[in-house]
Amino acid sequence: MNTTDFLTISAAICPERDCLVFEGQRQSFLRTNERANRLANALAGLGIGKNDIVAILQVNCPQYIEAYFAIARLGAIMVPLNFRAKQEELVYMLGNAGAKALLVGSRYIETMRAMLPRLSAIQHIIAIDDGQPDMLCYEELICSGAADEVFTDIGDDDVTVLMYTAGTTGRPKGVPLRHSGFVSYVLQNVDPASPEIEERNLLTVPLYHVAGLQAMLAAVYGGRTLVLMKQFETTEWLKTVEQERVSRAMLVPTMLKWVIDHPDFCRCDLSSLRVLTYGAAPMPFEVIKKAIAVMPRVKFINAFGQTETASTITALGPEDHVIEGGPDVVEKKLKRLAMSIGRPLPDVEVRIVDESGQEVPQGETGEIVARGPRVMSGYWRDEQKTAQVIDAEGWLHTRDMGWVDDEGYIYLAGRKDDMIIRGGENISPEEVEDVVCAHPKIEEAAVVGVPDPEWGQQPVAFVILKKGETATTEEIIESCRARLSFKRPRDVVFVESLPRNPMGKVLKKQLREQYVQMSR
Amino acid sequence: MSQLGKRYRCEVCGTEALCTRAGEGMPSCCDRPMVIQEPKPLPSSD
């Protein structure tokens, strides 16, 4: 089985159900399947075939999903480009991938034209939503392609997507994702389309991100209607949940905070919401606690993974978000809610290891490593970087630090590169952040290690105060002394905002550099 | 008669089959009729 079967199956089981809803337009599973076939046949006519690279630069839209299935059905490989990437990065990604064709949205046409002189390998450019005199037209291709099913010999281990991950540091790295990776996840975790069960999934996470792609494939296989938003906007999100009777959605922590703090939150009818998944960045404890309180009927899931693992590898399930029981149970559950990413999913092995790759005893901090059918076998055309993250036994080193409790729950302790080493002692930035954020005047905080001539590194807190509050550096540091002892921050920088990547992860490298600059 | 969109499981060998087109017959495996599986909606993390 490969991912292209997901659409074929759902189009057979629930042909007339809405597959895609976007800006008031609706398209059934049958129609989506037919359009994907037409596009595949048209692309084949352009000479696109097995293992060819086809890139796409566009916000979430129905054509993005049709294009995924069309490209996959030809055995070709899609490169979903980050539309927030800088021009230099786009040129690098397209060149590194070896893209033969490119689909581009109207928003990015001019960017593309400016890059063209440096993209000589690209043979075909297809304008998705606007006719362009010097480009092929998406709708004309659909009209010209036959509706016949496309049969290509696709192996389970063939690559279907080449996804570039910028993470929080360095140059984008190409991660080849196989059909088998997504099939393994979807078959283990999602029930197939059913004529009786209808769900509606609001997708705001961009499709160039592995979480967006995974959610799209899960929805198509599950026969769930995908309600698409170009980009997240809080008022629009609330309105869409109400109007489309959305039953599930994924939000990054910052988005969830915007939703529950929005003045319209109480005025909107969100009673259709059943499942909210969050992840991609650490969830502030106060945010999830409030979210559970204001949405008692919703099942929350914390999903943890990365591009290299084809998304989710551990999950903190709905039962872990129900804070009930005796005082001991409540304390344990609150701690899990604040810090745990849950337990590994059945189709992946996860361990915590030390520097030499040996598993550490329960409760001790080490690096989280993963192995299994979903884990990538290496970066695209980069043996050096591959060797840095995949060891001889096939374990992917995630560079996320963590520890495991007596019931198998994993707790994050920060990025390996962000770990603070003060006088030989490891300090988890997450642990310090939790304590700093417990201060009643603090809205948000990020803690980084900065160079120190005596101790090697010292923790420094970048802090956003709550509206109208004032505080001194000494006051914040003192408030941490009792709980953190030597791990307490030695300086505090008050800021208006924290630098983040598009998924909401704080760019700690930038904060470290900022502090060094300030200290000069 | 088989039912569209239903999963059938062989209780002997564990094979599962998904019906994408219903017909008069019933799926069987290991010389026995396969057993229909009830769908369990919610939750998966997507």
Side-chain angles (χ1 to χ4, degrees), chain A residues 10 18 40 46 64 66 78 94 104 166 223 261 274 317 349 354 374 382 387 402 419 424 464 470 493 499 511 514:
Chain A
S10 292
D18 287 343
L46 294 175
Y64 210 120
E66 293 166 357
M78 180 193 249
L94 287 162
V104 59
D261 287 347
R274 289 287 176 271
E349 291 176 84
D354 63 18
R374 283 199 277 130
D382 198 334
M419 191 58 82
I464 302 173
T470 54
V493 181
L511 291 178
Q514 187 183 329

Side-chain angles (χ1 to χ4, degrees), chain A residues 285-520:
Chain A
F285 180 56
E286 293 305 321
V287 175
I288 187 62
K289 216 168 80 175
K290 182 176 171 187
I292 292 169
V294 296
M295 290 186 274
R297 283 156 49 94
V298 171
K299 293 178 189 298
F300 288 90
I301 301 173
N302 177 1
F304 170 82
Q306 53 181 212
T307 309
E308 288 85 341
T309 59
S311 205
T312 312
I313 56 169
T314 71
L316 189 73
E319 65 285 0
D320 296 307
H321 290 75
V322 180
I323 309 301
E324 288 172 354
D328 288 0
V329 178
V330 166
E331 192 187 330
K332 194 186 255 184
K333 285 200 156 189
L334 285 174
K335 187 177 172 190
R336 276 188 190 144
L337 199 57
M339 292 169 72
S340 179
I341 49 168
R343 290 189 276 205
L345 295 185
D347 65 334
V348 66
E349 291 176 84
V350 177
R351 290 168 62 186
I352 313 281
V353 300
D354 63 18
E355 284 294 328
S356 63
Q358 295 300 307
E359 199 161 3
V360 298
Q362 176 208 310
E364 275 187 27
T365 300
E367 187 179 7
I368 301 170
V369 298
R371 191 168 68 175
R374 283 199 277 130
V375 173
M376 70 158 189
S377 47
Y379 289 115
W380 181 257
R381 295 175 179 169
D382 198 334
E383 285 176 18
Q384 201 185 342
K385 281 203 180 101
T386 299
Q388 286 168 8
V389 296
I390 295 187
D391 67 23
E393 291 174 10
W395 291 97
L396 171 83
H397 290 245
T398 64
R399 304 200 73 74
D400 278 311
M401 303 296 283
W403 56 278
V404 65
D405 73 9
D406 56 349
E407 289 178 57
Y409 285 81
I410 297 171
Y411 296 75
L412 280 186
R415 292 288 292 167
K416 194 172 182 181
D417 313 304
D418 294 334
M419 191 58 82
I420 304 162
I421 306 170
R422 180 186 182 272
E425 297 273 7
N426 282 355
I427 300 176
S428 152
E430 269 70 8
E431 184 187 351
V432 185
E433 283 160 11
D434 275 351
V435 176
V436 173
C437 287
H439 192 289
K441 292 179 180 174
I442 291 176
E443 176 82 25
E444 254 185 291
V447 171
V448 297
V450 299
D452 181 84
E454 193 176 345
W455 294 93
Q457 277 188 316
Q458 289 282 22
V460 166
F462 284 73
V463 161
I464 302 173
L465 290 174
K466 285 183 180 158
K467 223 173 181 176
E469 294 288 0
T470 54
T472 64
T473 298
E474 293 71 29
E475 179 186 348
I476 306 293
I477 295 174
E478 272 316 299
S479 73
C480 299
R481 186 183 287 274
R483 283 176 64 190
L484 287 174
S485 175
F486 74 92
K487 297 176 183 173
R488 69 188 182 280
R490 294 314 203 276
D491 197 4
V492 176
V493 181
F494 296 96
V495 290
E496 294 290 317
S497 64
L498 295 167
R500 293 178 185 276
N501 75 4
M503 294 305 288
K505 274 187 191 157
V506 175
L507 298 167
K508 294 202 167 173
K509 190 177 168 214
Q510 215 164 302
L511 291 178
R512 283 191 289 269
E513 286 168 0
Q514 187 183 329
Y515 190 83
V516 170
Q517 291 261 327
M518 283 163 47
S519 312
R520 273 184 192 149

Side-chain angles (χ1 to χ4, degrees), chain A residues 9 12-13 185 189 191 195-196 199 214 224 248 275 277 301, chain B residues 4-7 18-20 39-46:
Chain A
I9 291 169
I13 294 174
Y185 171 80
N189 295 284
D191 274 326
E196 292 108 42
E199 288 192 65
Q214 179 185 269
R224 302 169 183 161
R248 59 169 71 226
V275 180
T277 304
I301 301 173
Chain B
L4 178 69
K6 292 293 177 193
R7 268 191 305 180
L18 175 65
C19 177
T20 57
K40 43 172 179 36
L42 304 179
S44 77
S45 67
D46 293 288

Side-chain angles (χ1 to χ4, degrees), chain A residues 52-55 79 93-102 119-123 381:
Chain A
D52 282 336
I53 306 284
V54 182
V79 179
M93 291 187 272
L94 287 162
N96 180 259
K100 190 170 170 181
L102 171 66
L119 299 172
S120 54
I122 294 183
Q123 297 171 15
R381 295 175 179 169

